[in-house]
Amino acid sequence: MECVFGLVGNDFAVVAADTSAVHSILVHKSNEDKIMILDSHKLVAASGEPGDRVQFTEYIQKNVALYQFRNGIPLTTAAAANFTRGELATALRKNPYSVNILLAGYDKETGPSLYYIDYIATLHKVDKGAFGYGSYFSLSMMDRHYHSGMTVEEAIDLVDKCITEIRSRLVVAPPNFVIKIVDKDGAREYAWRESVKDAAAASA
Amino acid sequence: MKLDTSGLESAAPVWGAPSELVDGFSAAPLFEVPNTTDFDGFQKEAIQMVKPAKGTTTLAFIFKEGVMVAADSRASMGGYISSQSVKKIIEINPYMLGTMAGGAADCQFWHRNLGIKCRLHELANKRRISVTGASKLLANILYSYRGMGLSVGTMIAGWDETGPGLYYVDSEGGRLKGMRFSVGSGSPYAYGVLDNGYRYDMSVEEAAELARRAIYHATFRDGASGGVASVYYVGPSGWKKLSGDDVGELHYKYYPVMPSTVEQEMIEVAGA
């Protein structure tokens, strides 16, 4: 039920994820942020088992930070993606992590990039990607309307189209989404798309 | 898939008294194997047996004055009620509480263990541990035992330097920060009452009554919840137990028996 999708635009990459934390029929939380800011210019949008998702992405985040401390320069997006895939692959035959990841990043030399990493350690560099039941709707929407070099407005418009489609067609559609963007100025939150607000608006 | 275990069997007889003939040699080393035909599936079965047994209702929510924590007190083993007086709100330290759902032993042990770790943190760092830190400690421990059959669905509620804190932690390794949670088989019923009656700016009495009512309604509908509805309040100076009411009595308090109009009365016939 978790929906994660993203695309690469003109000098930026954008990812969106739903924000509901679900346990069988219960929605425990509808403002859970599943897009982690890996470092200043990288975003990791993850979906999967709750324990694995948080523990694995934090593990990657700490190791990426360690590399920067040791070597004085940050990892490129490609290097971070390959490192992530390597960790998933090593654990796969022993103690697999059930996490699907879209890694978006911006490098000065190569520009924006998006990597599709699934739970069995598949790695692809892509222009657009999606995970979860939402992918059935968002992938075709993106295939239809995507073109290379989209502006931020066009890309957000496409993301909103996908969210609308998921909300209207998916049987247990998540109500709220978070959108994050990464470009030359860094990785940051762009917007929330909420159709159900938690009563205590003072966000935990 | 049945494994070929012929290599594990030794020449020496396993059962029966060791005979003088065999005593001399060292038999092929035997190691313990689980007493089952299905090596790969038995562990999953063990976990599945435990899973449905989160027969309880616990809830906690943050409001203006602090955190309110409430739970029922019934322990059930399938259809048998083994106890009506289980303490499901565990006192980790004077300013932090944990709730119990799932395996009682697992919850009690790991909460006690968490209390020890929190105390060690205090001694090592000369300051109290935050609710964030305590819940992360517990979540990491439970994550490392993932897949081994622990059954814990707990909420860590407390008051630290940043104010009230509430986290949901479970044995799958999940950890969520939030303002309101309910855990257990009765939780959907409790959520209904809780969500509807919740306001951030409630007084302590109003919040306690909301918590009590939510537990009562869950015990009414859920067979695995019952006994006593305990309500605790966590404020700036630590936790305090506010009430413990038998849900049977609460029922008649909320829905008192009204004398109904008698339609027909049986009258004693006078005379023989």
Side-chain angles (χ1 to χ4, degrees), chain A residues 1-3 20 22 24-25 27 132-137 163-175 177:
Chain A
M1 298 305 168
E2 297 193 345
C3 308
S20 41
V22 168
S24 83
I25 59 164
V27 178
Y133 284 124
S135 69
Y136 287 97
F137 310 104
I163 291 174
T164 308
E165 192 58 19
I166 291 170
R167 276 184 180 151
S168 58
R169 287 296 185 184
L170 184 56
V171 62
V172 245
F177 286 81

Side-chain angles (χ1 to χ4, degrees), chain A residues 26 28-29 51-52 55 58, chain B residues 136 140 143 146 173 177 191:
Chain A
L26 267 182
H28 273 306
K29 208 179 162 196
D52 284 346
Q55 295 277 358
E58 283 185 2
Chain B
K136 191 74 177 172
N140 285 340
Y143 183 70
R146 196 178 47 115
K177 184 167 158 59
Y191 264 127

Side-chain angles (χ1 to χ4, degrees), chain B:
Chain B
M1 189 179 84
K2 182 97 173 67
L3 296 175
D4 174 21
T5 55
S6 54
L8 294 171
E9 275 135 63
S10 77
V14 182
W15 306 117
S19 68
E20 301 85 330
L21 290 171
V22 179
D23 256 347
F25 347 95
S26 49
L30 272 185
F31 53 86
E32 305 252 316
V33 290
N35 200 11
T36 172
T37 46
D38 180 18
F39 285 105
D40 298 315
F42 85 96
Q43 221 173 26
K44 241 190 254 179
E45 261 184 55
I47 296 169
Q48 285 306 107
M49 186 188 75
V50 180
K51 244 187 199 305
K54 284 200 183 142
T56 187
T57 310
T58 59
L59 61 88
F61 57 89
I62 292 179
F63 66 113
K64 190 184 65 180
E65 308 279 352
V67 198
M68 204 52 84
V69 184
D72 74 313
S73 68
R74 176 176 289 182
S76 45
M77 283 156 46
Y80 175 68
I81 297 173
S82 44
S83 170
Q84 289 273 63
S85 52
V86 177
K87 264 190 70 156
K88 295 192 187 178
I89 298 181
I90 298 156
E91 296 140 16
I92 297 170
N93 63 39
Y95 61 98
M96 243 195 296
L97 293 173
T99 59
M100 180 202 292
D106 288 339
C107 289
Q108 279 176 1
F109 180 87
W110 289 109
H111 278 121
R112 187 74 182 256
N113 185 275
L114 178 65
I116 294 169
K117 289 204 159 62
C118 291
R119 179 70 183 135
L120 286 171
H121 176 101
E122 268 179 39
L123 292 168
N125 299 83
K126 287 205 228 165
R127 52 187 254 172
R128 281 181 177 171
I129 191 171
S130 62
V131 184
T132 312
S135 60
K136 191 74 177 172
L137 274 178
L138 182 64
N140 285 340
I141 293 169
L142 292 177
Y143 183 70
S144 62
Y145 286 99
R146 196 178 47 115
M148 296 191 205
L150 281 185
S151 171
V152 173
T154 184
M155 293 177 286
I156 305 292
W159 188 291
D160 60 30
E161 289 166 354
T162 60
L166 178 61
Y167 284 83
Y168 163 77
V169 179
D170 71 24
S171 45
E172 255 109 84
R175 171 175 168 268
L176 295 172
K177 184 167 158 59
M179 297 288 270
R180 342 190 250 296
F181 289 113
S182 177
V183 183
S185 56
S187 60
Y189 305 113
Y191 264 127
V193 177
L194 181 59
D195 286 338
N196 190 247
Y198 177 84
R199 274 182 357 263
Y200 181 72
D201 46 10
M202 285 188 284
S203 67
V204 176
E205 292 76 31
E206 287 177 317
E209 182 53 27
L210 178 65
R212 196 174 304 123
R213 195 82 192 235
I215 294 285
Y216 156 74
H217 279 287
T219 59
F220 185 70
R221 285 292 181 182
D222 178 32
S225 302
V228 166
S230 318
V231 181
Y232 282 65
Y233 163 67
V234 188
S237 52
W239 59 260
K240 183 169 181 296
K241 178 160 183 180
L242 292 180
S243 66
D245 300 287
D246 181 287
V247 295
E249 279 163 35
L250 280 180
H251 173 81
Y252 290 108
K253 187 171 111 173
Y254 294 136
Y255 302 103
V257 180
M258 294 299 180
S260 52
T261 50
V262 178
E263 284 166 11
Q264 281 185 329
E265 229 184 85
M266 280 179 59
I267 308 171
E268 281 230 13
V269 175

Side-chain angles (χ1 to χ4, degrees), chain A residues 117-138:
Chain A
I117 307 168
D118 79 6
Y119 72 105
I120 39 178
T122 309
L123 173 69
H124 285 302
K125 182 173 185 307
V126 292
D127 288 328
K128 48 188 154 46
F131 283 112
Y133 284 124
S135 69
Y136 287 97
F137 310 104
S138 48

